[in-house]
Structure formats: structure tokens, C-alpha cells
Amino acid sequence: MNNMTDKSVKWSENVIVADANHIDRVAFNLIVNFERMIGRRIPKADMARWIDCIALDGGLREGDNDVQVVLIHDKNRSVLENFAPGNLTDELNGKAFKDNLGEFTISVCPVEDIVSRDDFFVDVVEAACAGKETKRIMVVPDEDRPGLYDCLCHAMRHVDDDKRVTMFAMQPMAGGNFRQEILGYSLMSALGISSDELK
């Protein structure tokens, strides 16, 4: 599994591809804003809980599912400051956990100098969508990066109709041949922020 962009890679039926630096930044912003709003300290986001929420929002249901999680990050930023566990290399890469949704296997991919972060992200998503085994793909891009969302829309325009693709962003995005979900909900759950606290 060294080269996630290789079209011959064997993928799981369920794949999550996420920009790790982006989710860390969004988690930080939520922590800062909600600590002021609800008046209490908010702990780091529970990584396993967040992954579960993304899987559920992407349509996965309880069962003996295999889920492949691919976390893409800048090679000089391998620690997520707002997640526990947060060390991408030592605590997350090659690790797995099992719960009522199935088994989740985590792979961490640093972006090397030979390719841009956006191009690498799109290539990994395309490879996952092209996998014969994949049925459900959940994509968590950095929607603030200019042009990335359009590139993803273009790359996924011909994904097979029998594959369920869900894109996660902090706000609804225009267009796209996929379902959309709001990223903030899964992160709020992982941060332990309940809806009752927001009333």
C-alpha cells in the first residue's frame, strides 16, 4: 500500500480519504469558537469517534464492514494538534480498530515534493473510485484550497453509478456527481459537543 495512486492497489469496499491537516485546522477553529460559546474547555477530538461519524454520514451501517482510512498530510506536519491520537506516523499509520461498524485500517500518506498536495489528493481519490472493490467512498478535502473542489468534481464525473461517493465540507458546495455532508457535525461529535449545549 505504498503508492495509493497506483490503479492496481486493492481497495476495501469502504474508503475514507481525508486531508489530515485540514481536519486538524477545522477542529482547532471549532474548539476555539465553542469554548467561548459554551463556556467550558473542549478536549481534543477523538480520532476513532470522528472516523465512525464520517463512516455513518457516508452511509455505512452496523456490520462486519472493512473500512480503509487514508489520511493525507504535508510531510512537514505529521502531528495533528487537535486530535487524540494525533501523531500520524507513530500512533495512526498502519493501525486499526474494530467496533460495531466493522474494522477500520488507517494508512498515512505524506505529500512528497514531486507532486502538489492537491494533485496527490485528487489522484488518491480517483484511484479509490476506480477500484473494482470499492462501493462507498467518503472524501474530506480542504475545500478552502482554490481549485481543488473543481478538480474533484471533474475527476468524479464518471464514477460508476453503483458507487456511493460522499463529499464532506463545512458548507454546501455547488455541483458534483456525489452526495454531500457537513464536516462540522462529525467533528463536533468527536469533540464531545452535544446539541443540548448549543441551545
Side-chain angles (χ1 to χ4, degrees):
M1 196 57 67
N2 293 335
N3 187 0
M4 291 294 190
T5 61
D6 187 339
K7 302 286 194 248
S8 66
V9 167
K10 181 166 173 39
W11 294 90
S12 296
E13 281 191 7
N14 307 285
V15 178
I16 297 170
V17 180
D19 183 317
N21 301 124
H22 174 63
I23 62 169
D24 195 42
R25 187 173 65 253
V26 174
F28 172 77
N29 291 337
L30 290 174
I31 288 169
V32 170
N33 289 323
F34 281 109
E35 280 185 343
R36 278 190 297 230
M37 189 184 303
I38 63 181
R40 70 168 174 87
R41 185 183 167 283
I42 294 175
K44 293 181 178 184
D46 180 318
M47 179 61 82
R49 175 74 183 145
W50 178 74
I51 290 171
D52 271 356
C53 290
I54 289 292
L56 287 166
D57 286 348
L60 196 71
R61 295 298 173 252
E62 286 191 22
D64 191 22
N65 299 296
D66 284 319
V67 184
Q68 191 171 356
V69 182
V70 181
L71 299 174
I72 296 171
H73 70 96
D74 291 334
K75 71 175 183 177
N76 59 350
R77 289 201 54 219
S78 61
V79 175
L80 304 183
E81 302 290 343
N82 303 289
F83 277 84
N87 188 308
L88 291 163
T89 308
D90 298 336
E91 297 176 320
L92 293 168
N93 191 37
K95 303 295 191 277
F97 67 92
K98 191 166 189 155
D99 61 20
N100 61 322
L101 295 178
E103 184 166 13
F104 294 79
T105 307
I106 302 171
S107 300
V108 172
C109 298
V111 179
E112 299 298 336
D113 295 333
I114 58 171
V115 66
S116 77
R117 182 168 138 199
D118 292 353
D119 287 347
F120 184 69
F121 192 91
V122 171
D123 287 349
V124 172
V125 170
E126 279 187 309
C129 289
K132 291 183 175 64
E133 310 86 356
T134 53
K135 294 182 179 173
R136 183 177 286 107
I137 303 109
M138 292 138 279
V139 183
V140 190
D142 182 346
E143 78 261 26
D144 296 327
R145 293 179 72 83
L148 175 59
Y149 183 78
D150 290 338
C151 287
L152 285 167
C153 288
H154 183 75
M156 291 190 281
R157 70 192 184 286
H158 297 303
V159 173
D160 292 345
D161 291 339
D162 61 339
K163 296 190 184 205
R164 178 181 173 137
V165 179
T166 307
M167 182 84 72
F168 291 82
M170 286 303 288
Q171 59 190 5
M173 307 291 279
N177 179 30
F178 41 75
R179 293 169 171 82
Q180 293 189 38
E181 292 289 340
I182 300 297
L183 174 62
Y185 298 147
S186 59
L187 283 169
M188 286 170 60
S189 178
L191 290 164
I193 301 168
S194 70
S195 56
D196 292 341
E197 293 181 282
L198 306 179
K199 292 178 180 171

